[in-house]
Amino acid sequence: AASRGAALRGTTSAAAELLGRNDIGHLGIGAKADLVLVGVDPVTAPVDDLATASVSQTWVGGEVAWSQEGVRS
């Protein structure tokens, strides 16, 4: 089985590398972020907590696209 870190890399930086894309798959200065903010740390939370973790925000292209408090972009 893959570690959680390896699974996360497989859906972010490693996937971007396989596509030959250096403009996606990482967070950094000047990068446009597509991400979700969840109520638990997916790397350290108990496995049983992952399926019920709440999403508080969704970001697309570096902008908040959805928030529990309403759409912001």
Side-chain angles (χ1 to χ4, degrees), residues 8-35 59 61-62:
L8 185 58
R9 283 187 298 280
T11 60
T12 57
S13 58
E17 185 178 331
L18 287 171
L19 293 171
R21 302 276 308 265
N22 63 2
D23 60 325
I24 61 173
H26 67 278
L27 295 177
I29 296 172
K32 290 192 174 184
D34 290 353
L35 60 102
W59 289 61

Side-chain angles (χ1 to χ4, degrees), residues 10-70:
T11 60
T12 57
S13 58
E17 185 178 331
L18 287 171
L19 293 171
R21 302 276 308 265
N22 63 2
D23 60 325
I24 61 173
H26 67 278
L27 295 177
I29 296 172
K32 290 192 174 184
D34 290 353
L35 60 102
V36 294
L37 298 180
V38 293
V40 298
D41 181 339
V43 177
T44 61
V47 172
D48 292 340
D49 291 352
L50 297 177
T52 58
S54 63
V55 174
S56 59
Q57 289 185 340
T58 302
W59 289 61
V60 178
E63 302 282 335
V64 176
W66 178 86
S67 175
Q68 285 180 329
E69 299 168 359

